[in-house]
Amino acid sequence: MRHTDILAEANKILRPRGDVYGTVRENHERIARIANEITGKALLAHDIAMVLVAVKLSRIAQSPDHVDSYVDAINYLSFAGEFATDASEEG
């Protein structure tokens, strides 16, 4: 699969998932609140996005030909970048 196709797929899946799970920020902040309760740590949406990148990298290491993991990793990295550069990030 060409890199441009992977990027197009990453972009294509965002809207349907947002319709189901809420905005990217809402979803990652919700995950952070849950993770904070579990871990007792003060995690932010950015932290959650980076953990999800780690999950995808682990899956890629196991199954390097599974394109969905690359698509998801691209999206999680873009979310992390947005959270890191957005002044409204909680914390």
Side-chain angles (χ1 to χ4, degrees):
M1 182 176 243
R2 294 181 51 82
H3 69 280
T4 53
D5 297 331
I6 293 171
L7 288 170
E9 183 65 20
N11 188 50
K12 184 175 86 175
I13 65 173
L14 288 177
R15 178 149 182 103
R17 289 187 184 175
D19 291 344
V20 173
Y21 302 120
T23 70
V24 169
R25 182 172 298 281
E26 290 169 341
N27 189 41
H28 283 73
E29 287 175 350
R30 183 180 320 109
I31 295 167
R33 286 191 302 273
I34 294 167
N36 290 343
E37 289 297 318
I38 293 168
T39 65
K41 306 238 184 256
L43 301 171
L44 303 175
H46 177 267
D47 301 319
I48 299 304
M50 294 307 296
V51 167
L52 292 170
V53 169
V55 169
K56 292 304 171 175
L57 290 174
S58 175
R59 290 180 178 178
I60 288 167
Q62 177 65 33
S63 303
D65 60 340
H66 189 71
V67 174
D68 284 351
S69 292
Y70 295 96
V71 169
D72 289 343
I74 287 166
N75 281 333
Y76 291 133
L77 280 170
S78 71
F79 303 159
E82 177 180 328
F83 301 150
T85 59
D86 186 350
S88 69
E89 170 74 4
E90 83 269 33

